[in-house]
Amino acid sequence: MFRSRRAALLRRLWRQRCPTPGPEEGPGALKPAAHALFKKLKDEELELLLQAVESRGAWESGCVWVPRGAKQTLPPQVLLCRLFRWPDLRQPHELKHLCYCQSAGGRGGCGDAAALCCNPHHFSRLAAPETPPPPYSKSISPSWPTEPKPPQLLEFSCNHAEWRDTSLSRSAARDGCWCKLAYWEHRTRVGRLYAVHEASVNVFSELPRGSGFCLGQLPAAHRSRAVRRARGKIGRGLLLSRELSAVWAYNRSEHPIFVSSPTLGPPGAHGLAVLKVLPGYSVKVFDYERVGGMGAGGWQRGDGPCDPHSVRISFGKGWGPCYSRQFITSCPCWLEVLLAQPR
């Protein structure tokens, strides 16, 4: 009975593999290495792995531990990520542990560092402005203006008090949270600010399990067709996490997100840097150490001054020099992350 149960788990797992093999790999090329790894996993870990891959990461599953130093052609995390998520993955340094994985930050499993989590949905691929993976390298402006543009103050449909509330990051520190989230549709802010006290937060429209900032619960009056269409693509949204001296964003949805912050562009640049982040990728959206040398004054973007301790994220639609939308206020659905300034 136990053998048949394990065999059924393995059959279900194998059916979840990516339909397209990686470059220079034929169908089933990873099967011997995968089954060798599966033999090292207990039935409970196989069930956790199956839950993760069948839900495609929609449900937060536990760690799947494998002993470190096991002889494998590929590292276990690379093998399973290639098998179930990214067939073109090559090296471990292309991956980043997500903040909720117990292996993140060097923490080992089972009370020590003798085991490694290989749950493929506890990893993201790294997107970095210095080495952006195709096809979105063109989303970074190829040239940077030598002089900042004069500020062009926006005429938001909300009142001035509301806009001022979303541009003062010092207020977040007084409230004991590390950031506040403001959700916008074009030029209109929808709902109140969402304060984040935990180390990470999910921002989503639809999520089977989990908690966080649910955009689907915000009021829906006078919503245009373009906004409704864009909101339908948010889905699982993104995961924001405060890690050491940086803030990371992980794209959990099935569509790209576009991010901009003062620390994403090249050092000394005054222009707008907008980075396209594909599904399953993570990017360091804010670096506290780097922003420290930018001064306390307002930061100039093409659409006017903004708080240098802020991040802007658009769902599904890009903006800036390489897009038809020049300003983020032309994007149907976007998020403003207002970071508390360190004391």
Side-chain angles (χ1 to χ4, degrees):
M1 180 180 69
F2 296 106
R3 288 185 178 180
S4 62
R5 174 169 170 263
R6 185 177 180 88
L9 289 173
L10 292 174
R11 283 194 299 269
R12 289 173 61 187
L13 265 176
W14 192 247
R15 285 198 296 267
Q16 295 298 320
R17 70 190 186 280
C18 294
T20 304
E24 301 179 0
E25 290 179 356
L30 297 178
K31 190 171 185 177
H35 280 275
L37 176 60
F38 294 156
K39 288 181 180 179
K40 298 182 175 68
L41 302 180
K42 300 177 181 179
D43 288 0
E44 294 78 8
E45 290 171 321
L46 284 175
E47 289 180 341
L48 281 175
L49 179 58
L50 181 62
Q51 180 189 70
V53 299
E54 284 189 336
S55 71
R56 297 184 180 181
W59 295 357
E60 292 187 4
S61 54
C63 290
V64 178
W65 299 108
V66 65
R68 291 182 184 269
K71 292 184 179 180
Q72 292 279 150
T73 306
L74 288 171
Q77 70 274 30
V78 174
L79 173 62
L80 294 188
C81 284
R82 186 186 293 187
L83 189 66
F84 295 113
R85 299 193 69 185
W86 305 293
D88 62 333
L89 183 69
R90 284 289 171 260
Q91 300 294 333
H93 62 74
E94 300 176 49
L95 297 172
K96 177 188 181 298
H97 273 107
L98 296 175
C99 59
Y100 49 77
C101 179
Q102 294 183 44
S103 286
R107 296 191 294 272
C110 307
D112 54 37
L116 171 74
C117 175
C118 59
N119 186 333
H121 288 280
H122 280 200
F123 293 87
S124 68
R125 293 189 77 168
L126 279 170
E130 295 79 13
T131 57
Y136 68 86
S137 57
K138 69 177 183 179
S139 63
I140 302 176
S141 177
S143 60
W144 303 91
T146 55
E147 296 294 334
K149 295 181 180 180
Q152 302 172 4
L153 296 178
L154 301 175
E155 296 180 359
F156 287 89
S157 59
C158 56
N159 59 48
H160 295 295
E162 184 179 45
W163 169 244
R164 185 169 61 250
D165 189 25
T166 67
S167 61
L168 296 176
S169 59
R170 291 185 184 275
S171 65
R174 290 196 298 269
D175 295 340
C177 58
W178 64 270
C179 79
K180 291 185 177 181
L181 306 178
Y183 170 66
W184 297 81
E185 293 175 355
H186 293 297
R187 295 170 177 261
T188 303
R189 201 184 88 192
V190 180
R192 298 183 177 182
L193 293 179
Y194 183 92
V196 180
H197 298 270
E198 301 295 329
S200 63
V201 60
N202 286 307
V203 182
F204 59 93
S205 179
E206 299 175 2
L207 192 65
R209 292 183 183 177
S211 60
F213 188 21
C214 181
L215 305 179
Q217 295 180 349
L218 297 179
H222 311 298
R223 189 161 280 157
S224 69
R225 181 180 300 178
V227 171
R228 291 196 301 269
R229 187 164 53 244
R231 282 176 60 92
K233 297 180 180 180
I234 294 175
R236 302 170 196 167
L238 59 96
L239 172 70
L240 282 173
S241 57
R242 171 75 188 268
E243 304 176 35
L244 298 177
S245 61
V247 176
W248 287 81
Y250 167 52
N251 184 1
R252 300 189 65 182
S253 75
E254 297 180 355
H255 300 273
I257 60 174
F258 297 79
V259 302
S260 174
S261 87
T263 67
L264 268 180
H270 297 288
L272 175 71
V274 178
L275 185 66
K276 181 178 180 181
V277 183
L278 298 177
Y281 278 75
S282 285
V283 65
K284 184 193 292 187
V285 295
F286 194 84
D287 188 327
Y288 286 92
E289 295 180 354
R290 184 175 166 191
V291 82
M294 294 181 174
W299 181 257
Q300 301 295 335
R301 284 192 174 102
D303 53 357
C306 71
D307 191 329
H309 289 80
S310 67
V311 178
R312 294 178 175 186
I313 303 173
S314 173
F315 297 98
K317 302 295 182 181
W319 80 97
C322 295
Y323 297 90
S324 59
R325 300 169 184 83
Q326 292 300 298
F327 308 131
I328 195 170
T329 49
S330 299
C331 296
C333 306
W334 57 282
L335 189 72
E336 191 172 27
V337 184
L338 304 156
L339 299 164
Q341 296 184 30
R343 295 179 179 179

Coordinates of all heavy atoms in Angstrom, one line a residue, residues 163-221:
W163 N -2.7 63.7 -1.4 CA -1.4 63.5 -2.1 C -0.3 63.8 -1.2 O 0.7 63.0 -1.2 CB -1.4 64.4 -3.3 CG 0.0 64.5 -3.9 CD1 0.8 65.6 -4.0 CD2 0.7 63.4 -4.5 NE1 2.0 65.2 -4.6 CE2 1.9 63.9 -5.0 CE3 0.4 62.1 -4.7 CZ2 2.9 63.1 -5.6 CZ3 1.3 61.3 -5.4 CH2 2.6 61.8 -5.8
R164 N -0.4 64.8 -0.3 CA 0.7 65.1 0.6 C 0.9 63.9 1.6 O 2.0 63.6 2.0 CB 0.3 66.3 1.4 CG 1.5 66.8 2.3 CD 1.2 68.2 2.9 NE 0.0 68.3 3.6 CZ -1.1 68.9 3.2 NH1 -1.1 69.5 2.0 NH2 -2.2 69.0 4.0
D165 N -0.2 63.2 2.0 CA -0.2 62.1 2.9 C 0.7 60.9 2.3 O 1.3 60.2 3.0 CB -1.6 61.6 3.2 CG -1.6 60.6 4.3 OD1 -0.7 60.5 5.1 OD2 -2.6 59.8 4.3
T166 N 0.7 60.8 0.9 CA 1.4 59.7 0.3 C 2.8 60.1 -0.1 O 3.5 59.3 -0.7 CB 0.7 59.2 -1.0 OG1 0.7 60.3 -1.9 CG2 -0.8 58.8 -0.7
S167 N 3.2 61.3 0.3 CA 4.6 61.7 -0.1 C 5.5 62.0 1.1 O 6.6 62.5 1.0 CB 4.5 62.9 -1.0 OG 3.9 64.0 -0.3
L168 N 5.0 61.6 2.3 CA 5.8 61.9 3.5 C 6.1 60.6 4.1 O 5.4 60.0 4.9 CB 5.0 62.8 4.5 CG 4.7 64.2 4.0 CD1 3.8 64.9 5.0 CD2 6.0 65.0 3.7
S169 N 7.3 60.0 3.8 CA 7.7 58.7 4.3 C 8.1 58.7 5.8 O 8.1 57.7 6.5 CB 8.9 58.2 3.5 OG 10.0 59.0 3.6
R170 N 8.4 59.9 6.4 CA 8.7 60.0 7.8 C 7.5 59.6 8.7 O 7.7 59.1 9.8 CB 9.2 61.4 8.2 CG 10.5 61.7 7.6 CD 11.0 63.1 8.1 NE 12.3 63.5 7.4 CZ 13.5 63.1 7.8 NH1 13.6 62.3 8.9 NH2 14.5 63.5 7.2
S171 N 6.3 59.8 8.2 CA 5.1 59.5 9.0 C 5.1 58.0 9.2 O 4.5 57.5 10.2 CB 3.9 59.9 8.3 OG 3.7 59.3 7.1
A172 N 5.6 57.2 8.3 CA 5.5 55.7 8.4 C 6.4 55.3 9.6 O 6.0 54.4 10.3 CB 6.0 55.1 7.1
A173 N 7.5 55.9 9.8 CA 8.4 55.5 10.9 C 7.7 55.8 12.2 O 7.8 55.0 13.2 CB 9.7 56.3 10.8
R174 N 7.0 56.9 12.3 CA 6.3 57.2 13.6 C 5.2 56.2 13.9 O 4.9 56.0 15.0 CB 5.7 58.6 13.4 CG 6.7 59.7 13.4 CD 6.1 61.1 13.7 NE 5.1 61.4 12.7 CZ 5.4 62.2 11.6 NH1 6.6 62.6 11.4 NH2 4.4 62.5 10.8
D175 N 4.6 55.6 12.8 CA 3.6 54.6 13.1 C 4.1 53.2 13.3 O 3.4 52.3 13.5 CB 2.7 54.5 11.8 CG 1.9 55.8 11.6 OD1 1.8 56.6 12.6 OD2 1.4 56.1 10.5
G176 N 5.5 53.1 13.3 CA 6.1 51.8 13.6 C 6.0 50.8 12.5 O 6.2 49.6 12.7
C177 N 5.8 51.2 11.2 CA 5.8 50.3 10.1 C 7.0 50.7 9.2 O 7.5 51.8 9.2 CB 4.5 50.4 9.3 SG 4.1 52.0 8.7
W178 N 7.4 49.7 8.4 CA 8.5 50.0 7.5 C 8.1 50.6 6.1 O 8.9 51.2 5.4 CB 9.4 48.8 7.3 CG 8.8 47.6 6.6 CD1 8.1 46.6 7.2 CD2 8.8 47.3 5.2 NE1 7.7 45.7 6.2 CE2 8.2 46.1 5.0 CE3 9.4 48.0 4.1 CZ2 8.0 45.5 3.7 CZ3 9.2 47.4 2.8 CH2 8.6 46.2 2.7
C179 N 6.8 50.5 5.8 CA 6.4 51.1 4.6 C 4.8 51.2 4.6 O 4.2 50.6 5.4 CB 6.8 50.3 3.3 SG 5.8 48.9 2.9
K180 N 4.3 52.1 3.8 CA 2.9 52.2 3.5 C 2.6 52.1 2.0 O 3.4 52.5 1.2 CB 2.3 53.5 4.1 CG 2.3 53.6 5.6 CD 1.7 54.9 6.1 CE 1.6 54.9 7.6 NZ 0.9 56.1 8.1
L181 N 1.5 51.5 1.7 CA 1.2 51.2 0.3 C 0.0 52.0 -0.1 O -1.0 52.1 0.6 CB 0.9 49.7 0.1 CG 1.9 48.7 0.6 CD1 1.5 47.3 0.3 CD2 3.3 49.0 -0.2
A182 N 0.1 52.7 -1.3 CA -1.0 53.4 -1.9 C -1.3 52.8 -3.2 O -0.4 52.7 -4.1 CB -0.6 54.9 -2.0
Y183 N -2.5 52.5 -3.5 CA -2.9 51.9 -4.8 C -3.6 53.0 -5.6 O -4.5 53.7 -5.1 CB -3.9 50.8 -4.6 CG -4.5 50.3 -5.8 CD1 -3.8 49.7 -6.8 CD2 -5.9 50.4 -6.0 CE1 -4.4 49.2 -8.0 CE2 -6.5 50.0 -7.2 CZ -5.7 49.4 -8.2 OH -6.3 49.0 -9.3
W184 N -3.2 53.1 -6.9 CA -3.7 54.2 -7.8 C -4.3 53.5 -9.0 O -3.8 52.5 -9.5 CB -2.6 55.1 -8.2 CG -2.0 55.9 -7.1 CD1 -1.0 55.5 -6.2 CD2 -2.2 57.3 -6.7 NE1 -0.7 56.5 -5.3 CE2 -1.4 57.6 -5.6 CE3 -3.1 58.2 -7.2 CZ2 -1.4 58.8 -5.0 CZ3 -3.1 59.5 -6.7 CH2 -2.3 59.8 -5.6
E185 N -5.3 54.2 -9.6 CA -5.8 53.9 -10.9 C -5.7 55.2 -11.7 O -6.4 56.1 -11.5 CB -7.2 53.3 -10.8 CG -7.3 52.0 -10.2 CD -8.7 51.4 -9.9 OE1 -9.7 52.2 -10.2 OE2 -8.8 50.3 -9.5
H186 N -4.8 55.2 -12.7 CA -4.4 56.4 -13.4 C -4.0 57.5 -12.4 O -3.1 57.3 -11.6 CB -5.6 56.9 -14.3 CG -5.8 55.9 -15.4 ND1 -4.9 55.7 -16.4 CD2 -6.9 55.2 -15.8 CE1 -5.4 54.8 -17.3 NE2 -6.6 54.5 -16.9
R187 N -4.8 58.6 -12.3 CA -4.4 59.7 -11.4 C -5.2 59.7 -10.1 O -5.1 60.6 -9.3 CB -4.7 61.0 -12.1 CG -3.8 61.3 -13.3 CD -4.2 62.5 -14.1 NE -3.3 62.8 -15.2 CZ -2.4 63.7 -15.2 NH1 -2.2 64.4 -14.1 NH2 -1.6 63.9 -16.2
T188 N -6.0 58.6 -9.9 CA -6.9 58.6 -8.7 C -6.4 57.5 -7.7 O -6.2 56.4 -8.1 CB -8.3 58.3 -9.1 OG1 -8.8 59.3 -10.0 CG2 -9.2 58.3 -7.9
R189 N -6.2 57.9 -6.5 CA -5.9 57.0 -5.4 C -7.1 56.3 -5.0 O -8.2 56.9 -4.7 CB -5.2 57.6 -4.3 CG -4.3 56.6 -3.4 CD -3.7 57.3 -2.2 NE -4.6 57.2 -1.1 CZ -4.4 57.9 0.0 NH1 -3.4 58.7 0.1 NH2 -5.3 57.8 1.0
V190 N -7.1 55.0 -4.8 CA -8.2 54.2 -4.5 C -8.0 53.6 -3.1 O -7.0 52.9 -2.9 CB -8.5 53.0 -5.5 CG1 -9.7 52.2 -5.1 CG2 -8.7 53.6 -6.9
G191 N -8.9 53.8 -2.2 CA -8.7 53.3 -0.8 C -7.7 54.0 0.0 O -7.1 55.0 -0.4
R192 N -7.5 53.6 1.2 CA -6.6 54.2 2.2 C -5.2 53.7 2.1 O -5.0 52.6 1.4 CB -7.2 54.1 3.6 CG -8.5 54.7 3.8 CD -8.9 54.6 5.3 NE -10.2 55.3 5.6 CZ -10.7 55.3 6.8 NH1 -10.1 54.8 7.8 NH2 -11.9 56.0 6.9
L193 N -4.3 54.3 2.7 CA -2.9 53.8 2.8 C -3.0 52.5 3.6 O -3.7 52.3 4.6 CB -2.0 54.8 3.5 CG -1.7 56.1 2.7 CD1 -0.8 56.9 3.6 CD2 -1.1 55.8 1.4
Y194 N -2.1 51.5 3.2 CA -2.0 50.2 3.9 C -0.7 50.2 4.5 O 0.4 50.2 3.9 CB -2.2 49.1 2.8 CG -2.2 47.7 3.4 CD1 -3.4 47.1 3.8 CD2 -1.0 47.0 3.6 CE1 -3.4 45.8 4.3 CE2 -1.0 45.7 4.1 CZ -2.2 45.1 4.5 OH -2.2 43.9 5.0
A195 N -0.7 50.1 5.9 CA 0.6 50.1 6.6 C 1.1 48.7 6.7 O 0.3 47.7 7.0 CB 0.4 50.7 8.0
V196 N 2.4 48.5 6.5 CA 3.0 47.2 6.6 C 4.0 47.1 7.8 O 4.9 47.9 7.9 CB 3.8 46.9 5.3 CG1 4.5 45.5 5.4 CG2 2.9 47.0 4.1
H197 N 3.6 46.2 8.7 CA 4.5 46.0 9.9 C 5.3 44.7 9.9 O 6.3 44.7 10.5 CB 3.6 46.0 11.2 CG 2.8 47.3 11.4 ND1 3.3 48.3 12.1 CD2 1.6 47.7 10.9 CE1 2.4 49.3 12.1 NE2 1.4 48.9 11.4
E198 N 4.8 43.7 9.2 CA 5.5 42.5 9.0 C 6.7 42.7 8.1 O 6.8 43.6 7.3 CB 4.6 41.4 8.5 CG 3.4 41.1 9.4 CD 3.8 40.5 10.8 OE1 4.9 39.9 10.9 OE2 3.1 40.8 11.8
A199 N 7.6 41.7 8.1 CA 8.8 41.8 7.2 C 8.5 41.7 5.7 O 9.2 42.1 4.9 CB 9.9 40.8 7.6
S200 N 7.3 41.1 5.4 CA 6.9 41.0 4.0 C 5.4 41.1 3.9 O 4.7 40.9 4.9 CB 7.4 39.6 3.4 OG 6.7 38.5 4.1
V201 N 5.0 41.4 2.7 CA 3.5 41.6 2.5 C 3.2 41.1 1.0 O 3.9 41.4 0.1 CB 3.1 43.0 2.7 CG1 3.8 44.0 1.7 CG2 1.6 43.2 2.6
N202 N 2.1 40.4 0.9 CA 1.5 40.1 -0.4 C 0.6 41.2 -0.9 O -0.2 41.7 -0.1 CB 0.7 38.8 -0.4 CG 1.6 37.6 -0.3 OD1 2.6 37.4 -1.1 ND2 1.4 36.7 0.7
V203 N 0.7 41.6 -2.1 CA -0.2 42.6 -2.7 C -0.9 41.8 -3.9 O -0.2 41.5 -4.9 CB 0.5 43.8 -3.2 CG1 -0.5 44.8 -3.8 CG2 1.3 44.5 -2.1
F204 N -2.2 41.6 -3.9 CA -2.8 40.7 -4.8 C -4.2 41.1 -5.1 O -4.8 41.9 -4.3 CB -2.7 39.3 -4.3 CG -3.4 39.1 -3.0 CD1 -4.8 38.7 -2.9 CD2 -2.7 39.3 -1.8 CE1 -5.4 38.6 -1.7 CE2 -3.4 39.2 -0.6 CZ -4.7 38.8 -0.5
S205 N -4.8 40.6 -6.2 CA -6.2 40.7 -6.4 C -6.9 39.4 -6.1 O -8.0 39.5 -5.6 CB -6.4 41.1 -7.9 OG -7.8 41.2 -8.2
E206 N -6.3 38.3 -6.5 CA -6.8 37.0 -6.2 C -5.7 36.1 -5.6 O -4.7 36.0 -6.3 CB -7.5 36.4 -7.4 CG -8.6 37.2 -8.0 CD -9.1 36.6 -9.3 OE1 -8.6 35.6 -9.7 OE2 -10.0 37.2 -9.9
L207 N -5.9 35.5 -4.5 CA -4.9 34.6 -3.9 C -5.7 33.5 -3.1 O -6.4 33.8 -2.2 CB -4.0 35.3 -3.0 CG -2.7 34.6 -2.6 CD1 -1.8 34.3 -3.7 CD2 -1.9 35.5 -1.6
P208 N -5.5 32.2 -3.5 CA -6.3 31.2 -2.8 C -6.1 31.1 -1.3 O -7.0 31.0 -0.6 CB -5.8 29.9 -3.5 CG -5.3 30.3 -4.8 CD -4.7 31.7 -4.6
R209 N -4.8 31.3 -1.0 CA -4.5 31.2 0.5 C -3.5 32.4 0.8 O -2.7 32.7 -0.1 CB -3.8 29.9 0.9 CG -4.8 28.7 0.8 CD -4.1 27.5 1.3 NE -4.9 26.3 1.2 CZ -4.5 25.1 1.5 NH1 -3.3 24.9 2.0 NH2 -5.4 24.0 1.4
G210 N -3.5 32.8 2.0 CA -2.6 33.9 2.3 C -3.3 35.2 2.7 O -4.5 35.3 2.6
S211 N -2.6 36.1 3.2 CA -3.1 37.4 3.6 C -2.2 38.5 3.1 O -1.1 38.3 2.6 CB -3.2 37.5 5.1 OG -1.9 37.3 5.7
G212 N -2.7 39.8 3.2 CA -2.0 40.9 2.8 C -2.9 42.0 2.3 O -4.0 42.2 2.7
F213 N -2.4 42.8 1.3 CA -3.2 43.9 0.7 C -4.0 43.4 -0.5 O -3.4 43.2 -1.5 CB -2.2 45.0 0.3 CG -2.8 46.3 -0.1 CD1 -4.1 46.6 0.3 CD2 -2.1 47.2 -0.8 CE1 -4.7 47.9 -0.1 CE2 -2.6 48.4 -1.2 CZ -3.9 48.7 -0.9
C214 N -5.3 43.2 -0.3 CA -6.1 42.6 -1.3 C -6.7 43.8 -2.1 O -7.6 44.5 -1.6 CB -7.2 41.7 -0.7 SG -8.2 41.0 -2.0
L215 N -6.3 44.0 -3.3 CA -6.8 45.1 -4.2 C -8.2 44.8 -4.6 O -9.0 45.7 -4.9 CB -5.9 45.3 -5.4 CG -4.4 45.5 -5.1 CD1 -3.6 45.7 -6.4 CD2 -4.3 46.8 -4.2
G216 N -8.6 43.5 -4.7 CA -9.9 43.1 -5.1 C -11.0 43.6 -4.1 O -12.2 43.6 -4.5
Q217 N -10.7 44.0 -2.9 CA -11.6 44.4 -1.9 C -11.8 45.9 -1.9 O -12.6 46.4 -1.2 CB -11.2 43.9 -0.5 CG -11.2 42.4 -0.4 CD -10.8 42.0 1.0 OE1 -10.3 42.8 1.8 NE2 -11.0 40.7 1.3
L218 N -11.1 46.6 -2.8 CA -11.2 48.1 -2.8 C -12.4 48.5 -3.6 O -12.9 47.8 -4.4 CB -9.9 48.7 -3.4 CG -8.6 48.4 -2.6 CD1 -7.4 49.0 -3.3 CD2 -8.7 49.0 -1.2
P219 N -12.9 49.7 -3.3 CA -14.2 50.2 -4.0 C -14.0 50.2 -5.5 O -12.9 50.4 -6.0 CB -14.4 51.6 -3.5 CG -13.1 52.0 -2.9 CD -12.4 50.7 -2.4
A220 N -15.1 49.9 -6.3 CA -15.0 49.8 -7.7 C -15.9 50.8 -8.5 O -16.2 50.5 -9.6 CB -15.4 48.4 -8.1
A221 N -16.2 51.9 -7.9 CA -17.1 52.9 -8.6 C -16.3 53.6 -9.7 O -15.2 54.0 -9.5 CB -17.6 53.9 -7.5

